[in-house]
Amino acid sequence: MTCPDARGADRHPTRPARPDAACGPAARGPALDTGAGAPGATAGRRRVLSGGAGGAAALAAWALAGRSPGPGPVVRLRLATGPVGGPYNAFGHALAAAVAASDQRLDLVPVATAASVDNLRQLADGAVELALTMADAAQDAVGGRPPFAAPISLTALARVYVNYTHLVVPAPGPAHSVADLAGRRVATGATGSGLRTVAERLLLAAGLVGDRAVRERRLGLVESTQALREGDVDALMWSGGVPTPTLTALARATPLRLLPLDDLVRALRTAYGPVYAPVTLPPGAYGAREPVRTVGVGNYLVARGDVPPRAARALLRVVFGRWRELLREVTAGARLEPRFAIATGAVPLHPGAVDYYRSVYG
């Protein structure tokens, strides 16, 4: 059950979507949830930041920490992002621009990809040094679970923001719940995207399998919105920040309905751990008149273990010095906080990230 103060905040029409502040630890939203999946993970991260500052003082320290990059050659890092026009790609290019404008001895090169699963495979192959990924895909990668054939060695630099799962249908249509989509055509994300993992798990949890299965169309966001507008699909799924500009544009052309998914959170957490959490899309998002409860999952900035610690620290100086601009590219009004950034669950923090977080906390 959501606490009254959190429910009231989420109903404010001018406030962005945010993780629910829940009354019990099992139901906490992404900003508080460690995504640990293993005993002691929370305590371990607290030890990393022992003696830490709080609130505005901490954020100020992050912005000012390590202004001097020190000697050494420029390190070139390739960052796997996502498809052109998508939020990962926008974040990657914004981060590259911020790095170029900084005094850090880094050269960051964004690489367009199919998103999370593709990114993690490229990271494992050495095609890139850094990647953006959804938390559930990262958890599967380190565990060697499908769609990954074997465990992938990776480390986390930060948990950067939360994705909100959107299940979108035309407002005049007959679907008012996920169960109403049985047998219908649903766009469930492009092959290689993190959305594919979320979509498959949601449909399974909703019982939309066997003779009740939806007819899936594996389309990216732009193709999905076009298909919905033209009547080629009955619904689309999307996992991203709020508002997502492509969906905002679709809502201007076609009245939309957002279907709630919060009833599936418990089943998802039971099956896959706390990488999933309840979140709320606010009234006003895409024309919705009421808040819509749905499923949230974090996004990580991850790295190969052989990225030099100095480079990891330098990159984090930029991320936390410019986080407002970076997050503005993907989700309105979000913040990047210390307790949020280090909550990377089964993915261990990179040694350079540990050094950075310790340095700003003393």
Side-chain angles (χ1 to χ4, degrees):
M1 184 177 75
T2 305
C3 297
D5 57 339
R7 189 181 299 276
D10 278 343
R11 283 181 177 160
H12 195 291
T14 62
R15 290 179 185 165
R18 70 190 225 354
D20 288 346
C23 301
R28 284 176 182 158
L32 299 178
D33 172 26
T34 65
T42 303
R45 282 169 170 75
R46 285 173 181 163
R47 283 194 293 273
V48 168
L49 302 179
S50 59
L59 290 170
W62 287 43
L64 296 172
R67 289 280 185 171
S68 175
V74 173
V75 178
R76 184 174 185 266
L77 299 173
R78 295 162 295 181
L79 170 62
T81 61
V84 174
Y88 276 4
N89 195 267
F91 183 94
H93 280 272
L95 181 55
V99 166
S102 76
D103 59 358
Q104 305 301 323
R105 300 187 66 77
L106 294 176
D107 177 22
L108 187 66
V109 181
V111 178
T113 66
S116 295
V117 173
D118 186 23
N119 291 356
L120 292 166
R121 288 173 173 154
Q122 292 203 38
L123 195 79
D125 292 342
V128 297
E129 292 76 36
L130 306 171
L132 292 164
T133 177
M134 289 171 61
D136 50 358
Q139 179 174 274
D140 291 339
V142 298
R145 292 184 291 272
F148 303 98
I152 293 176
S153 178
L154 67 146
T155 64
L157 299 182
R159 186 184 190 192
V160 286
Y161 69 97
V162 172
N163 270 8
Y164 291 70
T165 307
H166 301 59
L167 180 51
V168 182
V169 298
H176 290 263
S177 71
V178 63
D180 294 336
L181 296 177
R184 298 186 184 277
R185 302 161 299 171
V186 181
T188 55
T191 300
S193 69
L195 175 58
R196 290 288 315 139
T197 298
V198 177
E200 289 173 3
R201 292 174 177 179
L202 282 169
L203 294 172
L204 178 62
L208 295 180
V209 295
D211 59 2
R212 288 182 51 78
V214 304
R215 288 179 283 162
E216 292 191 57
R217 297 281 305 279
R218 298 192 178 189
L219 303 174
L221 179 60
V222 173
E223 295 80 9
S224 295
T225 56
Q226 181 177 349
L228 189 74
R229 185 169 54 245
E230 295 176 356
D232 293 333
V233 297
D234 302 298
L236 70 82
M237 287 187 177
W238 168 246
S239 183
V242 179
T244 294
T246 303
L247 292 181
T248 299
L250 177 64
R252 294 193 191 105
T254 304
L256 301 177
R257 179 183 298 127
L258 296 165
L259 303 186
L261 295 168
D262 56 305
D263 286 349
L264 304 178
V265 172
R266 183 183 295 274
L268 291 172
R269 289 173 68 91
T270 298
Y272 309 107
V275 290
Y276 300 110
V279 293
T280 300
L281 293 159
Y286 318 112
R289 296 183 178 180
E290 299 291 333
V292 178
R293 301 288 301 280
T294 188
V295 178
V297 58
N299 290 293
Y300 299 163
L301 175 60
V302 298
R304 289 177 57 88
D306 56 7
V307 168
R310 176 178 68 85
R313 291 193 300 270
L315 183 61
L316 286 174
R317 291 181 191 120
V318 176
V319 169
F320 290 105
R322 303 283 294 274
W323 64 267
R324 289 176 179 83
E325 300 145 69
L326 298 176
L327 295 187
R328 188 166 59 233
E329 295 294 325
V330 291
T331 184
R335 315 176 51 88
L336 184 51
E337 300 179 3
R339 63 181 179 178
F340 183 96
I342 62 171
T344 55
V347 184
L349 288 171
H350 187 284
V354 173
D355 289 348
Y356 175 79
Y357 296 131
R358 283 176 174 163
S359 75
V360 298
Y361 280 94

